[in-house]
Amino acid sequence: AGFSASSTTRVSAPMRLPSVQHYLQFIRSSASPILQIIAGLEDGKRNAVWAEIEDRLGAFNTRDGWEGPNELLLTAGQR
């Protein structure tokens, strides 16, 4: 694109919610890729996937709620 002197900075941006259930509700109501990935599964298998996701995301429960790791990459350049 013709940019020079570009640089990228990593910025920690954890997602904080009251619980893992709140995060799952967010995923289910957004255009999340996970919805497309599991859309073709039978109901029982899809429910099992959601249960496993919830179980694994439970690792990010804290005393104050749920805090999922997230990172942003900010890039700037000059023309």
Side-chain angles (χ1 to χ4, degrees), residues 9-51:
T9 302
R10 294 175 185 262
V11 178
S12 178
M15 179 166 283
R16 293 181 181 104
L17 293 166
S19 70
V20 68
Q21 290 79 19
H22 284 88
Y23 181 67
L24 291 174
Q25 182 180 15
F26 166 74
I27 291 174
R28 289 180 173 190
S29 65
S30 67
S32 170
I34 190 68
L35 298 175
Q36 295 172 5
I37 293 169
I38 66 174
L41 298 177
E42 300 170 0
D43 286 346
K45 288 183 180 181
R46 192 169 41 252
N47 291 338
V49 167
W50 284 116

Side-chain angles (χ1 to χ4, degrees), residues 3-9 74-78:
F3 289 102
S4 64
S6 64
S7 65
T8 300
T9 302
L74 302 178
T75 301
Q78 296 176 345

